[in-house]
Amino acid sequence: MFRLRPPMTARGLILKSACRQQSTSASEAPKRKASFGKIVGRAAGAGMLVVAGLQLYHLNNPTEEERLFNPATVFARLPGDKTPLEERMASETQYMGLSVIPYRGISRLWGFVNDIELPMWAREPVYKAWTYAFDCQLHEMKYPLKEYRNLGEFFSRPLKEGARVVDRDPRVMSSPVDGRMATIGVVDGSQGIPVLEQIKVFVDPRPGLTVSQGARYRMDEFLGSIPDFFSEKTPGKRLYHCVIYLAPGDYHRIHSPIDWSVEERRHFPGNLFPVNSLAVNFVPSLFTANERIALLGQWKHGFYSLTAVGATNVGSIGISLEPELVTNLGSQDRLGGTCLAKVYEAQHLVSRGDQVAEFKLGSTVVLVFEAPEDFEFSVQPGEKIRYGQPIGRFTKEATPEGPSTFPSTAELIKHAPPSRSYFGEVSHLLGKVFGSALQETTEKALTSDKIADSRESLGPAYTKE
């Protein structure tokens, strides 16, 4: 049975229409409020972006007064007045702004990505894309592309046999890496504090006179101490330095440029600023701020050091003498400004061409060494060089140099660790010459396996109060 609804009266129609209007107005009211809130939020967001943009512009364009009265504190530790380039480098405010960026964490994240194993089908496309972007020399690889499980292995790929010819002339210094020569020169100690050049800018105020007005950094802060060269100067010798920059597409392994004895490793946890041309022209004393590992020792002509400097996404530096050493760990984030040193119980004789370290991407290698005054660099800043190629040589007429540049036995014994006796050092050298078996047998009887304690304060920048 169906029940018919009674017809709507005029009063009912009016009430129903009023209810609809009230309902419509009630539903529209929240919409008007939401729209107003969105407008306010967008206006606030736009205002914050404008303020951030103005702050960023001001940060990157400080006034001359700010540069004069708010210079980066590192300049107070450099001798003499600032050079013209240093005058234009980051102020203290800019330096603090850069330091806020978590470069170490970003580099660890990149390292995590590098270690992800790629499926077999993806390896060739990924590596070839990287090759296209950074001009890698794939024909020099030791193994086929599919053999590299991840980006980390591809970045640190070894060379196939014969890909490089190492110049072994004892009167020549070979390049330790593939890269681009950034700076070369003689260490300047004329103002009491030896300084190295981060970037070199030459000007010619008048014909015949060339002056360098680039950016500097202190050698004692970079290496942790000043070599004996400055306290026990030998007539006819100088302290030289050179900086070699490795691009992402370069071969990333580091080899010994000469025959020498490695006595000590120094690890400096620090920041990981970029080390490209923009950064070295802007960040003061960049190489003393970044994480690095320095190998120090002796060659035939005196002091020798090779330092691998980290950079953004290059926090992992591997050392062949210590495969267990790991850099850019989270536990090391608070160790900036310290030096973790290890004096090797036994000096390591490293031959020219031996691998001593490797980067996981690309960064910078710095050589600081003592040599006679007739040594001259055979390459120029900006020149592209390859591992094994000569980068310098002695220019005087050839004299009997012997087959290598290893220091003499007397020098090795002179620089031996205090814990090693004279006879122990001689037996160690004999072991190097005649084989590891003699070395192990003799040293077990004469020396302990105890390694020298790490030292956390070296040089003025690392001294504890």
Side-chain angles (χ1 to χ4, degrees), residues 161-236:
E161 294 294 330
R164 294 290 186 279
V165 177
V166 179
D167 193 322
R168 299 186 180 277
D169 185 346
R171 295 187 60 79
V172 164
M173 185 175 296
S174 303
S175 174
V177 292
D178 285 5
R180 190 173 299 279
M181 188 63 71
T183 65
I184 57 175
V186 176
V187 177
D188 181 12
S190 59
Q191 301 187 62
I193 300 175
V195 294
L196 307 170
E197 289 172 315
Q198 177 170 307
I199 190 71
K200 202 184 275 267
V201 177
F202 289 106
V203 296
D204 294 308
R206 56 182 182 273
L209 182 61
T210 302
V211 181
S212 174
Q213 297 184 344
R216 306 161 296 157
Y217 58 102
R218 290 177 55 142
M219 186 174 64
D220 56 346
E221 293 183 1
F222 180 68
L223 293 178
S225 63
I226 297 176
D228 294 339
F229 170 83
F230 289 98
S231 58
E232 304 175 3
K233 286 190 174 181
T234 303

Side-chain angles (χ1 to χ4, degrees), residues 441-459:
T441 302
T442 311
E443 288 192 340
K444 282 182 179 178
L446 297 172
T447 62
S448 67
D449 294 330
K450 185 175 66 177
I451 296 173
D453 294 334
S454 294
R455 293 177 290 176
E456 296 186 356
S457 40
L458 295 171

Side-chain angles (χ1 to χ4, degrees), residues 12-304:
L13 289 172
I14 293 172
L15 290 174
K16 187 174 182 179
S17 176
C19 290
R20 286 179 178 174
Q21 290 178 359
Q22 289 178 1
S23 176
T24 303
S25 61
S27 62
E28 289 179 350
K31 289 184 178 179
R32 285 198 296 269
K33 290 181 180 179
S35 298
F36 179 75
K38 286 182 179 179
I39 292 172
V40 172
R42 289 171 181 171
M48 293 176 64
L49 286 175
V50 171
V51 171
L54 291 174
Q55 289 292 332
L56 182 63
Y57 177 81
H58 179 72
L59 184 67
N60 291 319
N61 298 273
T63 64
E64 292 299 324
E65 184 176 2
E66 287 175 328
R67 290 186 184 278
L68 181 63
F69 294 103
N70 189 31
T73 54
V74 66
F75 291 124
R77 303 197 299 270
L78 289 170
D81 298 328
K82 288 187 287 185
T83 67
L85 176 58
E86 291 171 346
E87 292 282 357
R88 302 192 299 270
M89 298 184 83
S91 65
E92 182 64 15
T93 304
Q94 290 174 303
Y95 188 84
M96 291 175 63
L98 290 171
S99 301
V100 170
I101 301 174
Y103 289 110
R104 290 178 62 89
I106 292 172
S107 300
R108 281 196 292 271
L109 178 61
W110 177 248
F112 173 78
V113 173
N114 281 355
D115 290 338
I116 296 176
E117 185 169 346
L118 299 175
M120 194 69 69
W121 61 265
R123 294 178 186 179
E124 284 197 24
V126 170
Y127 301 153
K128 285 184 177 179
W130 185 271
T131 298
Y132 178 79
F134 296 105
D135 191 27
C136 303
Q137 304 300 313
L138 296 185
H139 65 280
E140 299 177 339
M141 296 189 312
K142 186 174 183 179
Y143 306 110
L145 283 176
K146 289 186 177 180
E147 295 295 323
Y148 302 103
R149 295 175 298 175
N150 51 49
L151 283 169
E153 288 188 1
F154 176 70
F155 293 149
S156 56
R157 60 193 178 276
L159 295 173
K160 65 181 180 181
E161 294 294 330
R164 294 290 186 279
V165 177
V166 179
D167 193 322
R168 299 186 180 277
D169 185 346
R171 295 187 60 79
V172 164
M173 185 175 296
S174 303
S175 174
V177 292
D178 285 5
R180 190 173 299 279
M181 188 63 71
T183 65
I184 57 175
V186 176
V187 177
D188 181 12
S190 59
Q191 301 187 62
I193 300 175
V195 294
L196 307 170
E197 289 172 315
Q198 177 170 307
I199 190 71
K200 202 184 275 267
V201 177
F202 289 106
V203 296
D204 294 308
R206 56 182 182 273
L209 182 61
T210 302
V211 181
S212 174
Q213 297 184 344
R216 306 161 296 157
Y217 58 102
R218 290 177 55 142
M219 186 174 64
D220 56 346
E221 293 183 1
F222 180 68
L223 293 178
S225 63
I226 297 176
D228 294 339
F229 170 83
F230 289 98
S231 58
E232 304 175 3
K233 286 190 174 181
T234 303
K237 288 190 177 182
R238 294 176 179 173
L239 202 64
Y240 298 83
H241 74 96
C242 71
V243 177
I244 307 172
Y245 170 72
L246 288 74
D250 287 327
Y251 171 62
H252 300 127
R253 301 195 177 202
I254 306 171
H255 298 260
S256 177
I258 43 89
D259 301 325
W260 62 308
S261 170
V262 181
E263 302 171 355
E264 184 177 1
R265 177 267 299 157
R266 295 179 183 175
H267 174 205
F268 301 85
N271 215 322
L272 288 171
F273 291 121
V275 294
N276 52 33
S277 59
L278 180 63
V280 296
N281 278 276
F282 184 71
V283 182
S285 294
L286 171 62
F287 294 149
T288 65
N290 272 16
E291 181 157 19
R292 59 200 181 278
I293 290 183
L295 299 177
L296 296 87
Q298 299 288 321
W299 70 319
K300 185 172 186 175
H301 304 289
F303 174 79
Y304 202 94

